[in-house]
Amino acid sequence: MKFELDIGEVARRSGLPASTLRYYEEKGLIQSSGRNGLRRVFEPEVLDQLALITLGRLAQFELEELPAMLPGKSTATLDRTKINEKADALDRRIDELAALSKILRHVAKCRAETHFSCPRFKKLLRIAFRLREDDKKRHPGRVSKAA
């Protein structure tokens, strides 16, 4: 007897709504193994595929980039250059967020009469501006929400 999970169980175990599972199936990222009545059923390995898709999405891969990396595809390959580029981008973002956190913590504890009278605050503002300009250079044409 073949062990299969219905879509509700896959949704529960993966933490993804059934609508996302259906969308991923429509996009060819996962494949159901059939139906049990009206409900889609999946092989248990789909949970590993969903974990990989989630990891890829967290690393900001586009959905269109993911099929080539998924197991079960005859041409499954890992584009190590692309993966390294994503890791580098994440490292830059971590640095930016750490700098932003430092600015906010200083603002919260600064004892100066006004923040603009604080030389350290002014220096941190210049750093924040530079980070924004660097981001604009890396992502031309992207509309910044913090513009």
Side-chain angles (χ1 to χ4, degrees):
M1 183 170 138
K2 191 161 102 174
F3 179 68
E4 295 175 319
L5 304 169
D6 75 21
I7 193 167
E9 182 65 14
V10 173
R12 187 186 69 71
R13 288 188 187 190
S14 68
L16 297 169
S19 59
T20 298
L21 300 175
R22 289 189 293 273
Y23 179 73
Y24 285 172
E25 185 177 18
E26 179 185 314
K27 292 293 186 182
L29 295 170
I30 61 173
Q31 185 175 7
S32 63
S33 56
R35 292 191 178 267
N36 183 2
L38 295 176
R39 296 176 68 92
R40 289 174 170 89
V41 292
F42 297 88
E43 301 289 329
E45 294 77 24
V46 76
L47 296 171
D48 292 335
Q49 290 175 308
L50 291 168
L52 184 58
I53 292 167
T54 300
L55 176 64
R57 297 298 288 150
L58 287 170
Q60 298 182 344
F61 279 90
E62 298 296 325
L63 282 179
E64 295 76 23
E65 297 175 287
L66 296 175
M69 295 185 219
L70 293 171
K73 307 290 182 185
S74 60
T75 59
T77 60
L78 294 175
D79 184 341
R80 296 180 195 286
T81 301
K82 187 86 163 166
I83 292 170
N84 277 317
E85 288 170 0
K86 293 291 183 179
D88 291 343
L90 286 171
D91 287 342
R92 285 189 300 274
R93 187 66 181 141
I94 288 167
D95 291 344
E96 292 167 358
L97 291 172
L100 180 58
S101 174
K102 193 174 197 178
I103 292 167
L104 294 176
R105 294 211 185 275
H106 178 76
V107 169
K109 70 178 181 180
C110 183
R111 300 284 185 224
E113 189 174 316
T114 70
H115 292 300
F116 287 100
S117 65
C118 173
R120 179 155 169 76
F121 179 71
K122 287 182 178 181
K123 179 182 177 187
L124 292 170
L125 281 181
R126 286 191 299 275
I127 291 169
F129 184 75
R130 199 168 52 244
L131 287 173
R132 182 176 176 274
E133 292 304 308
D134 289 347
D135 187 58
K136 283 170 59 177
K137 288 176 190 171
R138 279 196 308 273
H139 304 285
R142 182 170 79 177
V143 177
S144 173
K145 294 177 184 164

